[in-house]
Amino acid sequence: MPKLNFSAGPGALPEPVLQAARDAIEEIPELGISVLGVSHRSDWFRQVVLECEQHVRALLQLPDSTHVLLLQGGSSLQFSMIPMLLLRGRKQPAEYLDTGYWSAMAIPEARHEGAVRVLWSGREKGYRRLPSDAELAFSEQASYLHYVSNETVEGLQFKRVLGHDGVPRVSDMSSDFLSGPIDVERFDLIYAHSQKNLGPAGVTLVVLKDQLLEHAPSDLPTILDYRPHAERHSIYNTPPVFAIYAVLLVLRWLRFEVGGLTEMSAINSAKAERLYRCIDADPDFYQPRAATSDRSKMNAVFNLPTPDLQERFIREAEQAGLLGLTGHRSLGGVRVSLYNGVTLEAVETLCGFMDAFRERGGLGTC
Ligand SMILES: *Cc1c(COP(=O)(O)O)cnc(C)c1O
């Protein structure tokens, strides 16, 4: 039986994409050479970047006043580039939500550039839920608002847009970008690295409004300034050509095979419903971590009654060809990631294993 990949990142990619990537490593037919050796200054690669941009624009129905950038340094570099652009030299603090592991990684980087006000933190309670509107007193004067739309480690996902429309809204969507439609007009800057929903590791998509660049500080290192990347359509220095080509294959798949973000969202909802139904069948056995209303459609995190059962669950799942289920090193437990590349059939197979494992109380073998 083929192995199934539920890894939290780099995550599973659609089979047709993997096939096309394999072919491209052999040879790009138009060029007669491998994608691994194509110059980033070639017309062919320039077209690849432009086509990526077009697909992102079409999928999200982006207005012309936005840039779509393909950058390096992962989402972690965005933790720094954003406050360099929007906080350096500003008097008003930036507002951050501390809703999980990745929020907590972003906040200290912003503090290097200026004042940060943490509006709400779930840390003391172990990041098991997200704040309600009543708990969030946003300022209308903040330099910007930053939050993580989907906390990948804890499996918490916002189902609404936060903040004041007058304050630049910035969101780390690394683990749920293009998993469904987004109200893009309301975001000033969205970032998402490729390795969860969009492709292999190596490239980070940034969608930002033009006007954000108007007041960029003049002392930014060139490579950490969004403007040269925007002016040169993401070919400022040597970009990761293969990773970007793989992202293009995913974007084509999403647009033309899946049919777009509404369709993708329906598939993702069906997968998540199926998995949570299986978890909820006996919440004393598969013990979900996140508050029910804040559960993520992308990452489901749960514990088993004992460390021994947990270990056995992961080991037996691996033997059954179900890979990537170990929880984040900061939390332990089990984490199932249901990115776009994971099929409903794969989730059915996993649920079949989970039901059987539960019915025998983790004892014996299937
Ligand atoms: C995985 C992840 C990151 C880290 O991204 P890198 O590309 O490894 O820097 C940041 N934010 C979120 C929400 C993530 O899931």
Side-chain angles (χ1 to χ4, degrees):
M1 204 183 73
K3 306 233 189 270
L4 299 173
N5 184 4
F6 298 96
S7 165
L13 292 176
E15 194 45 49
V17 167
L18 294 177
Q19 185 55 55
R22 277 193 285 270
D23 294 347
I25 287 175
E26 282 288 316
E27 182 187 310
I28 301 282
E30 311 91 280
L31 300 178
I33 56 173
S34 165
V35 66
L36 300 180
V38 178
S39 166
H40 65 293
R41 300 286 173 204
S42 61
D43 288 339
W44 179 82
F45 184 65
R46 215 187 341 267
Q47 283 307 317
V48 166
V49 172
L50 288 178
E51 194 188 329
C52 279
E53 200 181 310
Q54 277 167 12
H55 291 317
V56 173
R57 286 187 185 282
L59 285 163
L60 290 172
Q61 297 170 313
L62 289 177
D64 289 342
S65 57
T66 45
H67 294 288
V68 176
L69 304 180
L70 306 173
L71 303 180
Q72 296 181 67
S75 289
S76 299
L77 186 58
Q78 295 307 305
F79 297 165
S80 299
M81 278 178 76
I82 289 160
M84 283 177 157
L85 174 67
L86 298 175
L87 192 55
R88 185 173 286 195
R90 307 284 172 102
K91 289 200 189 66
Q92 294 295 336
E95 293 188 328
Y96 275 68
L97 299 193
D98 178 22
T99 51
Y101 181 89
W102 289 114
S103 293
M105 295 294 277
I107 292 167
E109 300 309 318
R111 292 201 202 277
H112 288 304
E113 297 296 330
V116 171
R117 194 161 87 94
V118 176
L119 277 186
W120 185 88
S121 175
R123 174 188 288 269
E124 301 225 317
K125 299 264 169 71
Y127 297 125
R128 285 170 186 274
R129 69 170 184 95
L130 296 173
S132 66
D133 284 334
E135 293 172 288
L136 296 171
F138 297 107
S139 151
E140 289 184 43
Q141 270 81 48
S143 284
Y144 64 95
L145 167 70
H146 178 280
Y147 65 94
V148 176
S149 59
N150 182 66
E151 286 284 3
T152 323
V153 171
E154 294 83 1
L156 296 164
Q157 186 174 31
F158 280 108
K159 278 132 196 139
R160 64 192 195 280
V161 176
L162 303 175
H164 285 296
D165 283 341
V167 170
R169 187 180 277 112
V170 176
S171 189
D172 177 356
M173 298 194 185
S174 293
S175 51
D176 64 356
F177 190 59
L178 303 188
S179 65
I182 303 170
D183 194 354
V184 281
E185 299 274 357
R186 300 188 64 198
F187 289 90
D188 297 81
L189 191 155
I190 294 170
Y191 62 103
H193 56 198
S194 49
Q195 69 265 28
K196 281 155 195 163
N197 256 331
L198 309 174
V203 48
T204 303
L205 266 83
V206 176
V207 175
L208 85 169
K209 287 190 178 158
D210 281 357
Q211 63 195 55
L212 232 47
L213 300 179
E214 282 167 12
H215 305 289
S218 54
D219 57 351
L220 296 174
T222 312
I223 196 151
L224 302 183
D225 184 340
Y226 294 99
R227 293 171 301 178
H229 296 285
E231 281 156 18
R232 290 172 212 194
H233 278 276
S234 305
I235 314 181
Y236 167 68
N237 65 328
T238 315
V241 172
F242 177 65
I244 290 175
Y245 183 68
V247 168
L248 173 62
L249 296 174
V250 171
L251 293 170
R252 283 180 184 160
W253 169 82
L254 189 49
R255 200 167 159 204
F256 303 123
E257 295 197 37
V258 176
L261 297 181
T262 305
E263 290 76 3
M264 193 69 249
S265 172
I267 297 168
N268 285 331
S269 295
K271 282 150 48 182
E273 271 162 35
R274 180 68 191 90
L275 177 63
Y276 283 118
R277 195 158 12 104
C278 166
I279 292 172
D280 290 339
D282 181 356
D284 291 328
F285 194 75
Y286 296 124
Q287 302 164 0
R289 246 193 81 80
T292 309
S293 56
D294 301 324
R295 281 173 171 179
S296 166
K297 280 201 226 171
M298 295 281 106
N299 313 94
V301 182
F302 57 87
N303 290 96
L304 277 85
T306 66
D308 179 53
L309 271 177
Q310 213 151 270
E311 221 170 274
R312 202 171 321 170
F313 176 88
I314 293 192
R315 194 174 56 237
E316 291 187 20
E318 270 172 19
Q319 284 160 2
L322 307 165
L323 306 185
L325 295 170
T326 310
H328 189 263
R329 61 191 184 282
S330 66
L331 280 189
V334 177
R335 173 168 50 165
V336 183
S337 296
L338 303 177
Y339 299 133
N340 288 353
V342 174
T343 61
L344 182 56
E345 294 71 40
V347 180
E348 291 289 354
T349 306
L350 172 66
C351 290
F353 168 83
M354 286 175 64
D355 288 341
F357 188 86
R358 186 189 56 236
E359 276 155 27
R360 61 191 158 84
L363 301 172
T365 47
C366 325

